[in-house]
Amino acid sequence: APNSIHQMLMFRINRYFNVAGALATRLCETQFGLTRREWGLMATVANQEGLLSSELADAAKLDRVRTSRTLGSLEAKGWIQRVPLAGDRRRVTVSLTDAGRKMYERVLPAMARFNMELVATLTPEEQAQMDAILLKLRARALEMEQDGPYAALPRVDRGHKHG
C-alpha cells in the first residue's frame, strides 16, 4: 500500500499528464489556434457527427456548461455548427463545418506525431502492455463507479458557481 501521495498511481499519472498535456496544449494553441478542450471536442465531433450537445458532453467527459462554452468558441471560429432538432429547438445536434473538417485533418496528424514521439520510449511490447493495463484500469474504475462504496458518492458539479 502506498504510504505517500507520490507512490499513488493517480498522482503519478496526473504528473505525467501535466507535463505531456502542457506540451499538447502548446502544440494545439501555437500551431492551430485551438485550446486542448476545443481539440478534444472537435475530435469527438469528427468521430461522432450529429450527436446532441448533451451526448457530446458525455462522450467528451465534460460538464454541459464547459461543453456549451467550448462549442460556442468553435462555432465562432467557424469550425462546428449546431442545428436545433425539429420540434425541440432547445436540443441541438453538433457537426463539423467544411472548415472544421479541414482543421481537424490538419491537427490530427500533428497530434498523432506528438503521440508517437511520446510513446517512442516504449518498446512495441511495452506499448501493448500499457494499452492493456490502461483498459483494465478503466474497466475497474467504471466498475467502482457502479458498485460498492464509491457508487454512492454524490457527483460534483464544477460547471456552476454556488453562492
Side-chain angles (χ1 to χ4, degrees), residues 82-99:
R82 294 187 270 194
V83 178
L85 286 178
D88 187 353
R89 300 194 60 76
R90 293 171 298 161
R91 296 175 57 184
V92 297
T93 60
V94 182
S95 59
L96 294 179
T97 62
D98 288 342

Side-chain angles (χ1 to χ4, degrees), residues 104-114:
Y104 172 76
E105 290 170 358
R106 284 182 56 217
V107 179
L108 183 62
M111 295 306 290
R113 266 190 314 278
F114 172 78

Side-chain angles (χ1 to χ4, degrees), residues 13-116:
I13 289 172
N14 191 48
R15 291 189 67 171
Y16 154 77
F17 185 75
N18 285 340
V19 174
L23 289 173
T25 297
R26 286 172 32 206
L27 176 62
C28 282
E29 289 178 354
T30 61
Q31 299 295 310
F32 305 105
L34 275 169
T35 67
R36 191 170 63 204
R37 185 172 293 139
E38 287 172 335
W39 165 241
L41 277 181
M42 179 182 274
T44 303
V45 170
N47 288 295
Q48 299 180 53
E49 292 271 349
L51 286 179
L52 296 173
S53 58
S54 58
E55 294 168 331
L56 180 59
D58 292 340
K61 302 295 183 219
L62 292 173
D63 64 63
R64 291 179 184 185
V65 172
R66 284 190 178 121
T67 300
S68 180
R69 282 187 199 133
T70 304
L71 288 175
S73 173
L74 288 168
E75 192 172 37
K77 292 176 179 180
W79 294 335
I80 63 111
Q81 59 187 356
R82 294 187 270 194
V83 178
L85 286 178
D88 187 353
R89 300 194 60 76
R90 293 171 298 161
R91 296 175 57 184
V92 297
T93 60
V94 182
S95 59
L96 294 179
T97 62
D98 288 342
R101 175 72 49 196
K102 287 177 184 159
M103 176 57 75
Y104 172 76
E105 290 170 358
R106 284 182 56 217
V107 179
L108 183 62
M111 295 306 290
R113 266 190 314 278
F114 172 78
N115 183 73
M116 288 172 52

